[in-house]
Structure formats: structure tokens, C-alpha cells
Amino acid sequence: PLHSECDGREREQRSRARGRPCREQTQRPSVITRVYSTTMPTVRRSAAALLLLLLLSAGRVADALLTPKARGLTLEEIFSMIQSEVEFDFDTTEGALVSRLWDASNEFEWEKALGDELLLDRKYPYLLCNTFRKASGRRISGYERSDMLREEIESHFGEEHGESDRRYYLRTLYNEEDYYCAYGQLPATVASEMEGDQYIVQPVTASLKMMKGSVDRMQKAEIFADPAAEPTLDVLLCPGVAMKGDVMPAGDGASEESGETTTITIEDVDSPEGTAETSFILETDEEEIPDWMVRDILSELMPTTVASKLASAMEETVFLLSEAYGNRTSPVAAGDDPEDVAAANSRSKLWKGLVSDYQKSGMCDAVYSSRLSWSVVRASDPDNDSSVVHVRFNATGASEYDAGCLMTLSLAIANHPDVCTVELRERFKTANHIARWLTQSEVQDSTPFLDAGIDGSGQVVAISDTGVDLDHCYFRDGGGNAPGRGSVNLAARKVVQYVPFVNDDDYKYGHGTHVAGTAAGKRLDGTGMAEGAAPAAKIAFADVGDSAGNLRLPLDRQLLQTGRPHAQVHSASWGSDFNFYTTQARNFDQHMFENDEFLIVVAAGNSGHGDAPNTVGSPATAKNVIAVGAHHSTGGSNPRGSLGPSYIADFSSRGPTSDGRTKPDILATGMAVVSAGALPDVFGECDPSRPPSPGGKSDGLLSLQGTSMAAPLVSGTALLVRQYFVDGYYPTGARDGTAPLVSNPTGALIKAVIMNSGQWLTGVDNGAAGVTPVAPYDNAQNFGRLSLQDALYLPGRTNMQITAFDRRAVEDGTSVSETVVVDKSDGCAYDKLVVTLVWTEPGSQPGCTRCVLNDLDLTVTIDGKTYYPNGRDGPDDVNNAERVVVKGVPDGTEAVITVEASNLIQRYQQYSLVA
């Protein structure tokens, strides 16, 4: 909770250092207090609700009580900072009509906000922006701007605002020079009093909460075509709502007893077992979160089953653009083009029709009472995270009304004031001996890191996929040690945990067995033909696929707990075609931020045919993960006619992400990769007499292509990098018995080493269509092809040395410099200085258009010349991985590496750096 008076020394010092005195609480009367003082000096808040009710009935609330002093966002500003359904609500009209419609919509929303405060004692979500510029021209960071917002907010709390009113948090949406916006829940009477040209206060409407494209996707029949399909709504709650440890009451607006009961399944992934389910009766008051929110939503959706005196009829919560409300004048003027007006009303009429057909009729009551599973992932740090509710539409009992019921449900959820984002989750799909030596040395059959004992020993990789054939010789235990189910059994030879989220096996020649073999497969007896990148590592496996290979994922937090705390790398060879920054991308980023030693590796996707841009799909659109593209293999492993490992596979998905970040991050072999092949009906299947041909299968081996094959290769290599640090190989390249300098490397350091190794490729091999040229840091190759020999130092085996800086921190508005000297002794013949900076930051708002929140800038200065990252002539303020390559650096060259915190949303940002 933040306080309304200047009682914190640090806060006061920060304010004065910026040239602004700390603002004391003025206690000036709010709009409610002013109404009270002129009419009922001793009135309590409940009486104010009666007054508001009278004003509501007259349609005069906004004029009589609430006139916001700060302006709202323009449509152009909204389009530039978040991808939402607002674009579809207002993209069909132009000119003055659009402006009037938007103004009328905001007036309607302010009225709802005040009603929620006075009738239901609820706060409302707003986008709160600060565009202040100093006269001196000095840059103001997001951290400073958020502090200014807090001071402005706290100056408007009055005596009538209780402790819960004063408890609020801000979650950053957008942070750019001269422009900062954050989500926050406030009483309407406080938000409306914020003033000054630098502040913008925008109520978060239902359409602003919905991820762009969600409504169209909900109307498509294919989301229900698969009998096993379970469409899921990902609901991001507003900052501070339903936090871990909160005890939430049933809440005002909850339904009263109706004589009937409705049982809803609530899954709390924070329970000790992680999968506990609790059924509750809708009418009781003892439920924990998110029961109170479910109750509110169902009270609006199911009027024939649940009585609700306080909740407004859903139909009245949808702003129909051409209609007048109460005594307000319609925003439509006589001269407006009827076609424009009709187009502007098309979306709101859709909602009105759905509410009339599905909600008011009670047609969906049975669906809502028996086929919804509500799960909550509660956040613990309201300043950096938000709780997430997942609403899953169970397949059992499917009906022709499902699409309408799902859309009506999404509207009800979006109308809840504790909700900030609603998104329909995309359907997911599954997107090596030759691959191994290509990654390590580029010399046939040369594996210098395995020869040096860096083989994944002591490491565990978590893999989520369709299953593993546990009796395959690459995974079979041989000693009677079964993999753990709820826990990890480190005594097992290879698979130490098997979590059957869907089932406990793979299908014939299944995707998961191949992926697991590529990462860490090793034959039980002797050396196999197609062992994995980290053959001595162990595997914790999450089975998320059915017998047909379809994926059915658990909650993200459950998924990422696989193998923990032993597994520090999670490999995901699956994804969607959705190029946006989604709730799942946010969840992956947030998990890495909260567990800084953890690294997630994700396949970029296989939709790049024809050089199609923006085809990298979520969750590879996350910021902190490694998104892996694919290049060709070599020799007999390649399909006939392919051009070899210097060329990118034509199917490898391309960036950028929808917010402009460069993807994929790195590439690895993904063409005709030979690995383990599952034969569920055969015990002990193993290597054939000769490897299968490209795309073929033979006994216990299988050849596949895709970024799904490249991702586990990077994951296995990440285990080798981890072992290099943990086992004390760094920095000499040999174990000398002393304590390791980096005993618990961060995921950011592992990512930095891998991306620092990238080597440029020649082009995209499009087969008969020819070769597409590529460039460094473009959206086909980005940092290039993974090359472990260009990543880590091994005396006599590799020709470069490495200096690593891990868990360093830089303060907002300052910089940190490190000086390195090029040393070409001990056989180091590398002709380049390569420096890579990576930082892990909090998850962003789904749909963000500027998703990197903390801007760090890397520069390298040699002999007075400054080099910028990622092939640019200046700083990169879009990506959170930056690399500088300086060619032709002679022995003894001194280089100054600088990391500057140009614009943070928090006081410090941790980072990792390798050179």
C-alpha cells in the first residue's frame, strides 16, 4: 500500500532531488464531499449511493457529479500503445463522428465507474499516463514518471476514502521517452480529480481489455470443431487484485440466495500439491479467490438461476454508439453518413444481440453452471506482477450454443472492474549425431566439449511435449528406478520425472520422444547413433499430448514447475501462429523474472515459407526466452539438393513480433534431424543397422525437420553452458578443483553466451524458388547460427576466450563500465571482440506495442570510437538482448564496455554480460 502523506524519507529525498517538493496531503474536498457538504453534512457513503441512484435514473451523473479534469487518450494514442478490440470498434468511421463517438463512449464509462464506486464500493481500472517534460530538456525515466503519478494520485484522497480505497498499484503498459502509461485501479472520485496537462486518465473499457482479434477468433467454428478442444480465456487481473495471501470477501454485488445452487470448479495452482481442486456453492460467503469474481460474473450471466439486486443488466453495460442514454444527447448528428453510423455500431450491436439471445434467455445457464473450470494463479508482488485467472470451456456436453456462450462470457468478464485483459488462448501445435557436432565444432564427428567432459552431467532439462517412450534404449533406466510423478527421482538414469498431464506415453514415432532424444538422449548400453546434445543430462518430462499428437496444456505455472528445483532449463518445441505478445508470453517472462536462474527455450515456429514476416508465434514472442529458428544440416542428413548448414530452412518462422522486436533469437540445425523414434508396442527399441534417410524412420530412430528439432538442440547446449560455469571450467576452460566463480548462473547469462556465439548465415534456401539474401540482425537470422566453439574457451580446442559478468545491476539514469583487454595468448586466434548484453525483466501487458519496459543501452568504446549494438548507428531501445561485434581487434586492445540505464520503470535493473 502507498501512503497519502510524505512520511518516507527516501521518497521525499527522491522528490526533492528531481526539483519537486514532496506533496503533502491537501485534504481538499472531492466531488463526493462537495455534494455532501451542500446537501447532507452528516451523510454517510451509503446515503450517497441513494443520491447517485436518483441521478443515474435521470441520466445526469456525469454532469452533476463527475467531470474528469484530465483528458483521456485519443484513439491514435491507444492504437499506438496496445493491440485491442478498440481498433475494430472505431476503425470503420472517420472525422468528427469518430471523435464524438469516442467522447460519448468515455462519458458513458465514467458514469459506470462512479456507479461502481458509490453503489458497489469498487474501484475502477484506468490507464494513467504521464507526458511531463522538463524545461531543461533532461530525459525523465518511467521510474520517475510513475513516482510523479503516485504523488498526484495520493493528493486527491479525501476523508471519505477508506484504507482499501487508498491501496493501489501501478503496472506499466508503455514506457518511452516523454511518454509513460500504467494500469491502476482507483476510485472514480480520485481519478477524476487528477489534473494538469501532463496527465492523462483513461477508463479501461471492455473493448480496450480484449486482445485484438479475440472476438473474430471466438466466432470461428474451428475452435469447437475438435471434440477435445477446450477453448480457454486468459484473464489478467488488475494490479493488486487477488494477490497471494489475500483473504477476499464475497464482495458487494454477489448474488443472494436463490434456492438453487451452482457448483463451479476452482483450481488453485498455489496449493501445496499444485493441482488441488475445490468445489464451492455459489451462495456461500466463505470462498477464497477467485470465487468472488466468478460470483459477480455469473450473477450477470445467469439471471434465471441467480438473483442479483446490485449488478446491472449486462445489456446496459454495452455502449451502443448511436443511442442516447437518459437525458444525454446521441453522439450521432443529422449529417452523419448512415453507412458510417451503421459500421460504427456493428460491434456493439453484436454484443447486444448476444446478450439478448444467450444471456437474457438463460440459454447458457447450464453451460455456465457445469462446463466452466476457473483457475487462478496468484501473484505475490503487486508492483511487478498481476494475478491471472484461466477460464476453460470443458468439452463434455458440447452444444451448438457454445460459441455464443463463450462470447457472452468474455463480455461479462471484460465488464468486471477487477479485470484488465481478456484473451482467447490460441491453439498450440508441435512446431542427432550430425546436429551435435555441427553445433560444437563444424568439423565432422568432432565434439570438443563432450571430449572435455562437458556432457550435461549434473544437469536436468525439463521438456513439455507429446510424451516419451520410456522403454526406448535412449531413455530406459536399466536399474529399476522409475521416474517420479509428483517429485523428482534423481536416482533414475535418464528420465527423473514424468508428469502425465494428459497421458503417460507417446504415440508411434511421436514428436515428444524425438525432441527428448535430441536434447539429452543416451543409449543404455554403449554409444548410440543419434544421442542428444547433452547425453549425460537427465530429463524431467511433462506429457501434454494425447494419442493423436494434439496438445492440451496445463496452467503455465504448473507446466514450468516440471523438474523444479533441479531443472533450470525448460524446452518447449510447440507454439501458436499468434504473433502478438500474449498472456502466455507474459507468464513465461514473469516466471523467468521471478526465478532468475531459469531459462525457457521455445521453437519459433514453422510458418516462414515464402519469407512470410511476423510468423514467429507465441510463446516465442516472449522477451526473456530464447526463440529458436532452424538452419539446414549437412551431408547425408540433408535432403537431396539442399545447400547445407550455412542456409536457413525456408519454413523457419520470421520476425518481427507485433511490437517490433527482432526474432528469432538464434538458429540451430532443424533440417532432417535424426533422433529417437517411439514404438509403444515394442519393448527396448533402439538403433537400426544404419540411420534413416532424411524424413524417414527405421527401428528406433526417426528423421524430422522443424524448429521443434532446433529448440531441444539449443536446450541441450544450454545445459553444457550451465555445466561449464557450475563445474568450474570458467574461466580457464579446465577444472582445477577450486570453487567455481559462477556457481549459479542466471538464465540471462546462459542466453548471453549462446547469443554471443552466433555466426552469420548466407541466405534462406527456398529450394526451387532460389535463395533469399539475409543480413545480420534481420528477422530471418537475427544473431545467427549457434556455434559453441565460438562461445566458450577450451584450451587447445577452441580459439577464443570469454569474460562473464553475472547478476550485475545498474541504477536508473546511471551507467556501469567494464574495461577488458584483448588477450590472444594460449592459442586464442579469434579476430573479433564480441560483447553481448542480456537482461531479464518483468512480464508486460498482453497486446503491448512497446513490450520492453526497461531500456538498457550497450556501447563498446575502442580508441575513442564508440560501437553500437545490433548493427545500428545508435542505441537499440526495442530489444532486451544487444550485441556489438568489432572485427580485426589486435592483441592488447583495451575496450571499455558501458551499460547505461536509459529509461527504467524501476530503480535498478539486473543484467548479464559476456565478452
Side-chain angles (χ1 to χ4, degrees):
L2 296 164
H3 302 286
S4 59
E5 57 277 335
C6 298
D7 58 357
R9 177 176 298 178
E10 180 184 358
R11 184 179 179 80
E12 185 172 0
Q13 288 174 344
R14 287 207 314 265
S15 297
R16 289 176 176 166
R18 294 170 190 147
R20 304 188 311 277
C22 188
R23 296 179 63 170
E24 298 289 348
Q25 174 66 34
T26 60
Q27 296 293 344
R28 60 178 167 178
S30 70
V31 289
I32 301 180
T33 307
R34 291 198 293 271
V35 172
Y36 291 174
S37 62
T38 58
T39 56
M40 299 167 283
T42 60
V43 73
R44 295 182 60 85
R45 196 167 188 157
S46 58
L50 296 177
L51 172 62
L52 178 70
L53 196 59
L54 294 173
L55 292 166
L56 278 169
S57 64
R60 295 172 49 226
V61 174
D63 295 334
L65 285 180
L66 199 65
T67 302
K69 296 182 177 179
R71 74 173 180 90
L73 289 167
T74 66
L75 286 171
E76 290 73 19
E77 287 171 321
I78 287 177
F79 298 161
S80 71
M81 71 176 63
I82 188 167
Q83 294 161 324
S84 72
E85 285 293 322
V86 170
E87 294 189 36
F88 294 101
D89 286 353
F90 290 91
D91 70 344
T92 55
T93 57
E94 298 179 357
L97 174 61
V98 171
S99 178
R100 281 184 272 114
L101 294 175
W102 179 240
D103 289 345
S105 174
N106 280 326
E107 183 179 325
F108 178 75
E109 209 67 30
W110 276 105
E111 191 170 295
K112 285 172 58 182
L114 187 60
D116 273 3
E117 178 181 352
L118 295 187
L119 289 176
L120 305 177
D121 197 19
R122 281 179 175 163
K123 293 177 286 187
Y124 210 73
Y126 299 90
L127 279 175
L128 307 167
C129 304
N130 182 348
T131 62
F132 178 73
R133 297 185 182 184
K134 276 189 171 292
S136 64
R138 183 181 74 82
R139 171 184 272 184
I140 305 174
S141 70
Y143 175 61
E144 295 174 291
R145 292 181 185 279
S146 64
D147 196 44
M148 293 171 62
L149 274 172
R150 289 184 176 97
E151 291 180 15
E152 174 65 18
I153 291 167
E154 290 160 16
S155 70
H156 298 296
F157 285 115
E159 295 178 353
E160 72 280 2
H161 295 113
E163 180 181 352
S164 62
D165 292 330
R166 295 169 183 267
R167 186 183 298 117
Y168 71 94
Y169 303 92
L170 301 180
R171 187 181 72 234
T172 304
L173 165 65
Y174 191 89
N175 182 31
E176 185 179 35
E177 185 177 355
D178 298 331
Y179 212 112
Y180 173 88
C181 289
Y183 286 88
Q185 263 193 319
L186 296 172
T189 51
V190 172
S192 64
E193 289 290 287
M194 295 177 64
E195 58 184 326
D197 293 340
Q198 70 268 38
Y199 295 117
I200 301 172
V201 181
Q202 174 63 48
V204 183
T205 65
S207 60
L208 188 51
K209 296 177 183 181
M210 289 186 176
M211 174 78 81
K212 181 179 178 180
S214 289
V215 174
D216 284 344
R217 286 186 288 124
M218 279 187 271
Q219 296 182 79
K220 292 180 179 178
E222 53 260 35
I223 70 169
F224 293 98
D226 182 354
E230 294 186 326
T232 298
L233 296 175
D234 289 334
V235 182
L236 191 66
L237 302 184
C238 295
V241 174
M243 303 302 292
K244 189 177 292 185
D246 285 352
V247 178
M248 302 299 296
D252 292 329
S255 58
E256 297 182 353
E257 292 188 10
S258 65
E260 298 183 46
T261 63
T262 303
T263 302
I264 306 296
T265 299
I266 293 293
E267 184 177 21
D268 187 348
V269 301
D270 293 310
S271 67
E273 296 76 22
T275 56
E277 292 189 351
T278 303
S279 295
F280 71 95
I281 304 304
L282 196 63
E283 288 76 14
T284 63
D285 292 332
E286 292 83 26
E287 297 87 33
E288 296 180 358
I289 44 181
D291 308 13
W292 53 273
M293 191 184 80
V294 178
R295 181 200 312 267
D296 294 340
I297 291 168
L298 294 185
S299 69
E300 291 192 350
L301 283 172
M302 300 165 60
T304 61
T305 303
V306 182
S308 174
K309 294 181 179 179
L310 293 176
S312 301
M314 268 189 60
E315 190 176 22
E316 297 177 6
T317 66
V318 182
F319 179 65
L320 190 59
L321 298 177
S322 65
E323 290 186 1
Y325 281 80
N327 293 335
R328 251 196 330 262
T329 303
S330 169
V332 177
D336 289 329
D337 188 329
E339 291 187 4
D340 284 345
V341 175
N345 276 313
S346 60
R347 180 56 61 81
S348 51
K349 284 184 175 178
L350 169 67
W351 292 123
K352 289 270 188 176
L354 285 169
V355 170
S356 175
D357 293 342
Y358 290 91
Q359 181 258 341
K360 292 173 70 175
S361 67
M363 187 180 295
C364 297
D365 287 359
V367 171
Y368 297 145
S369 63
S370 63
R371 291 179 54 205
L372 300 182
S373 295
W374 301 70
S375 306
V376 61
V377 179
R378 292 176 287 180
S380 56
D381 181 3
D383 290 319
N384 289 306
D385 196 8
S386 291
S387 298
V388 183
V389 172
H390 304 278
V391 187
R392 179 169 292 181
F393 225 85
N394 296 330
T396 303
S399 74
E400 60 184 300
Y401 310 122
D402 283 357
C405 295
L406 176 63
M407 293 179 67
T408 310
L409 174 67
S410 71
L411 177 63
I413 293 174
N415 269 308
H416 198 287
D418 287 334
V419 169
C420 276
T421 304
V422 180
E423 171 196 346
L424 176 65
R425 177 168 286 205
E426 277 286 297
R427 293 288 303 276
F428 297 105
K429 56 187 180 183
T430 54
N432 283 313
H433 65 303
I434 291 178
R436 185 167 68 182
W437 64 252
L438 264 178
T439 300
Q440 289 200 19
S441 69
E442 303 175 46
V443 178
Q444 185 167 352
D445 297 326
S446 174
T447 53
F449 288 87
L450 299 185
D451 296 342
I454 303 172
D455 54 7
S457 295
Q459 302 299 310
V460 178
V461 61
I463 300 173
S464 51
D465 215 288
T466 61
V468 169
D469 191 340
L470 292 174
D471 63 41
H472 190 289
C473 69
Y474 282 30
F475 310 106
R476 189 153 55 93
D477 186 84
N481 295 300
R485 294 298 173 112
S487 60
V488 174
N489 178 15
L490 291 177
R493 179 188 78 91
K494 180 55 63 177
V495 182
V496 297
Q497 185 183 33
Y498 197 102
V499 185
F501 284 114
V502 177
N503 56 33
D504 58 1
D505 203 350
D506 203 5
Y507 57 96
K508 186 176 181 179
Y509 289 119
H511 189 269
T513 297
H514 189 282
V515 164
T518 304
K522 180 172 176 55
R523 187 165 170 161
L524 176 62
D525 54 339
T527 301
M529 288 183 176
E531 292 185 347
K538 299 188 177 185
I539 298 170
F541 198 88
D543 189 327
V544 296
D546 61 22
S547 58
N550 300 311
L551 298 185
R552 299 174 62 188
L553 298 176
L555 300 182
D556 297 327
R557 184 174 292 184
Q558 290 176 319
L559 183 74
L560 297 177
Q561 286 300 319
T562 303
R564 301 288 282 156
H566 306 285
Q568 307 294 9
V569 175
H570 190 109
S571 188
S573 287
W574 47 265
S576 72
D577 293 328
F578 205 42
N579 186 242
F580 289 5
Y581 188 87
T582 63
T583 300
Q584 185 174 60
R586 172 215 166 270
N587 291 347
F588 277 31
D589 279 340
Q590 190 65 32
H591 192 85
M592 284 188 60
F593 176 73
E594 294 174 356
N595 302 273
D596 74 348
E597 76 286 354
F598 198 66
L599 175 65
I600 303 172
V601 179
V602 185
N606 302 327
S607 302
H609 296 284
D611 298 313
N614 300 102
T615 48
V616 169
S618 174
T621 55
K623 302 175 292 182
N624 300 330
V625 307
I626 299 180
V628 184
H631 66 79
H632 279 261
S633 187
T634 189
S637 179
N638 253 350
R640 180 173 297 178
S642 64
L643 298 178
S646 294
Y647 289 84
I648 301 168
D650 66 330
F651 56 75
S652 184
S653 286
R654 316 292 205 275
T657 61
S658 64
D659 64 302
R661 286 173 292 118
T662 312
K663 290 282 181 177
D665 296 306
I666 201 79
L667 278 69
T669 306
M671 194 72 172
V673 176
V674 177
S675 186
L679 292 172
D681 297 330
V682 176
F683 180 84
E685 66 270 36
C686 205
D687 296 335
S689 58
R690 57 182 298 175
S693 59
K697 56 182 76 76
S698 180
D699 293 343
L701 292 187
L702 171 69
S703 172
L704 291 176
Q705 66 182 36
T707 58
S708 285
M709 286 63 254
L713 190 59
V714 173
S715 298
T717 304
L719 298 182
L720 304 187
V721 175
R722 232 185 153 269
Q723 183 189 356
Y724 184 89
F725 287 106
V726 172
D727 286 359
Y729 286 88
Y730 172 77
T732 65
R735 301 179 71 172
D736 57 9
T738 61
L741 294 180
V742 183
S743 60
N744 184 28
T746 63
L749 178 61
I750 306 302
K751 179 179 178 179
V753 170
I754 287 174
M755 296 186 70
N756 202 54
S757 79
Q759 304 296 300
W760 306 128
L761 291 113
T762 304
V764 179
D765 182 355
N766 295 301
V771 174
T772 303
V774 295
Y777 308 108
D778 68 5
N779 285 291
Q781 67 167 324
N782 200 4
F783 280 38
R785 171 182 55 80
L786 170 64
S787 174
L788 197 54
Q789 69 169 350
D790 294 297
L792 300 172
Y793 176 57
L794 291 178
R797 290 186 170 98
T798 63
N799 63 357
M800 51 82 65
Q801 297 184 35
I802 180 176
T803 299
F805 306 91
D806 199 21
R807 289 191 176 89
R808 298 299 176 94
V810 59
E811 186 175 7
D812 182 45
T814 69
S815 63
V816 176
S817 293
E818 307 284 354
T819 300
V820 298
V821 178
V822 175
D823 178 7
K824 295 197 174 184
S825 61
D826 296 326
C828 179
Y830 214 60
D831 67 342
K832 295 177 285 189
L833 172 65
V834 186
V835 182
T836 298
L837 167 72
V838 171
W839 66 97
T840 298
E841 63 170 33
S844 300
Q845 172 68 24
C848 51
T849 61
R850 190 178 181 84
C851 297
V852 172
L853 304 175
N854 293 302
D855 180 22
L856 301 186
D857 290 322
L858 170 69
T859 56
V860 176
T861 303
I862 300 176
D863 295 333
K865 181 177 180 180
T866 298
Y867 298 85
Y868 291 96
N870 299 353
R872 303 182 183 222
D873 296 327
D876 181 348
D877 62 354
V878 177
N879 300 289
N880 63 327
E882 301 183 0
R883 184 174 70 171
V884 171
V885 179
V886 185
K887 298 179 180 179
V889 180
D891 188 29
T893 298
E894 185 175 278
V896 178
I897 304 169
T898 301
V899 177
E900 180 181 2
S902 299
N903 185 7
L904 305 186
I905 64 168
Q906 55 213 32
R907 186 168 183 179
Y908 295 96
Q909 174 61 52
Q910 180 176 288
Y911 66 88
S912 298
L913 184 75
V914 296

